[in-house]
Amino acid sequence: MNAPQPISSSRNLGILISGRGSNFVAIADNISAGRLHARISIVISNRSDAPGIEAARQRGLNVVVIPSKGRTREDHDREVVSALKEARADVVVLAGYMRLLSPWFIQQFPHRILNIHPSLLPSFPGLDAQKQAFDYGVKVSGCTVHFVDEHLDHGAIVVQRTVPVLPDDDDHSLADRILQQEHQAYSEAIRIVLDGNYEIIGRRVVAKTH
Ligand code: GAR
């Protein structure tokens, strides 16, 4: 059994993006609307052309581009971790961050790094999860928010939401409906982790009832 360390009262999120950033925007909107009690202390993109950067700037957030191209994973991760620590991030939120973290990075934030994946893990890890699920012919897919461990799309699951595959779906329409669920599931999972009201038993993240 593994009880989480208490999170500081600042409830700071460090958000990592690589692209569109719609999950980041949904989290930011939930915070602005008072549905999620947290603060985004930094947004980091590993790509200078990520559309999510502009969305973060428009919100007046602290945005940093730390390009990963041409650098070793360890070298890049050290700069990212140092920016996260400087911004006093309590929880690291991978929001479409298309880069594996080194074991060293993960050790810097034990049980404090979350990822979202557009399938019901452990089915369809990796790239193009929605298309993988659609092509396989599943009747139900969905999304998963999980703690990050040293394996791809693998850590203990915090929240999952299901999405039915409809007869006239294609992989794009399925991905659109999964994304709508992602936008709710991520804030729900962040709330659970910030509140610390859970235990990790084996691989199971179990809500405390008292
Ligand atoms: C989301 O669908 C997210 O689940 C997926 O990338 C998309 C990012 O969209 N992540 C992965 O596949 C990670 N394995 P966004 O940039 O609009 O949030």
Side-chain angles (χ1 to χ4, degrees), residues 71-141:
R71 297 179 67 181
T72 66
R73 193 173 311 286
E74 283 67 24
D75 189 32
H76 182 253
D77 279 3
R78 277 186 196 279
E79 194 173 337
V80 172
V81 165
S82 133
L84 287 166
K85 291 199 167 167
E86 195 177 322
R88 301 190 181 282
D90 296 303
V91 171
V92 179
V93 175
L94 308 188
Y97 188 64
M98 295 310 201
R99 198 167 159 82
L100 277 176
L101 304 186
S102 61
W104 175 81
F105 187 140
I106 295 163
Q107 283 157 19
Q108 303 308 302
F109 296 93
H111 288 122
R112 290 293 169 76
I113 309 176
L114 291 171
N115 180 44
I116 191 157
H117 184 75
S119 75
L120 293 176
L121 290 171
S123 292
F124 312 116
L127 292 175
D128 295 326
Q130 306 96 324
K131 183 168 177 2
Q132 289 186 55
F134 182 80
D135 290 348
Y136 193 90
V138 299
K139 300 297 182 197
V140 179
S141 191

Side-chain angles (χ1 to χ4, degrees), residues 24-51:
F24 145 64
V25 167
I27 292 163
D29 287 349
N30 280 332
I31 292 172
S32 303
R35 290 186 290 265
L36 175 62
H37 176 40
R39 174 176 169 264
I40 297 173
S41 63
I42 190 165
V43 178
I44 301 174
S45 174
N46 69 316
R47 295 183 56 124
S48 58
D49 59 351

